[in-house]
Amino acid sequence: GEEVVAWVVGPQADERSLLGHCRTRVDARRGPGRIYKRDSIPRNEGGKVLRGLLREEASRRRQEVRQTGLTR
């Protein structure tokens, strides 16, 4: 299955506090399992989010975690 992730823009984002915030408002099974930071969200010329690009990046990041043995 797919894992729910959240993409956050901005340096002030703290993963632990954001996950805690989500869990107070959304059931843990429906909320994000991971939060990734980016400088910007990729969009096409019409302003739509390029979800495929984000999906590929999340997959790549998960692979890196598996290869290095780091949890996050």
Side-chain angles (χ1 to χ4, degrees):
E2 292 186 355
E3 177 184 30
V4 176
V5 300
W7 294 92
V8 178
V9 175
Q12 72 282 5
D14 170 38
E15 182 179 8
R16 178 171 281 153
S17 63
L18 288 170
L19 284 173
H21 175 77
C22 290
R23 290 190 176 124
T24 63
R25 288 163 172 70
V26 180
D27 183 43
R29 293 169 290 171
R30 293 178 173 249
R34 292 185 188 274
I35 295 180
Y36 296 121
K37 294 180 185 179
R38 288 189 111 252
D39 293 330
S40 65
I41 300 295
R43 297 179 183 273
N44 67 13
E45 298 82 23
K48 291 186 176 184
V49 174
L50 297 174
R51 294 181 193 164
L53 193 126
L54 292 174
R55 205 173 287 123
E56 289 172 10
E57 184 175 335
S59 178
R60 186 174 30 79
R61 288 186 183 200
R62 278 192 302 275
Q63 279 294 100
E64 290 172 359
V65 167
R66 287 185 193 125
Q67 291 172 355
T68 61
L70 299 174
T71 57
R72 298 266 170 172

